[in-house]
Amino acid sequence: MKLQNILLPASFATMALAGPISYGICQGGCAGVVVACYSAAGAVFGTVPAAAAVAIPALAACNSAFGSCSAVCATVALFAPIP
């Protein structure tokens, strides 16, 4: 077997990483989930409910989940190497 037959296919098997791109995709996923969460609670994400002084528990849970998701995205972005 020729060495060229082994090395040529192996040269195409490199790993591609994209730190900033994966961070943006992750944040987009978090935003999509929080919009769905707000919708399920009967509210619109990005608006102030009429009873702004009283936090609706479902919306507080959505906000907490969004913050946790965003924190995970930031952590992943720190450890993902930039090509």
Side-chain angles (χ1 to χ4, degrees), residues 17-33 66 69-78 80-82:
L17 300 171
I21 294 171
S22 61
Y23 175 73
I25 291 170
C26 185
Q27 287 291 346
C30 292
V33 170
F66 184 55
C69 185
S70 295
V72 169
C73 290
T75 303
V76 169
L78 285 175
I82 299 170

Side-chain angles (χ1 to χ4, degrees), residues 3-76:
L3 188 60
Q4 181 182 8
N5 293 342
I6 295 171
L7 294 178
L8 184 62
S11 67
F12 294 118
T14 59
M15 187 169 54
L17 300 171
I21 294 171
S22 61
Y23 175 73
I25 291 170
C26 185
Q27 287 291 346
C30 292
V33 170
V34 77
V35 167
C37 185
Y38 263 66
S39 179
V44 177
F45 182 66
T47 61
V48 178
V54 178
I56 301 169
L59 298 182
C62 292
N63 288 340
S64 176
F66 184 55
S68 298
C69 185
S70 295
V72 169
C73 290
T75 303
V76 169

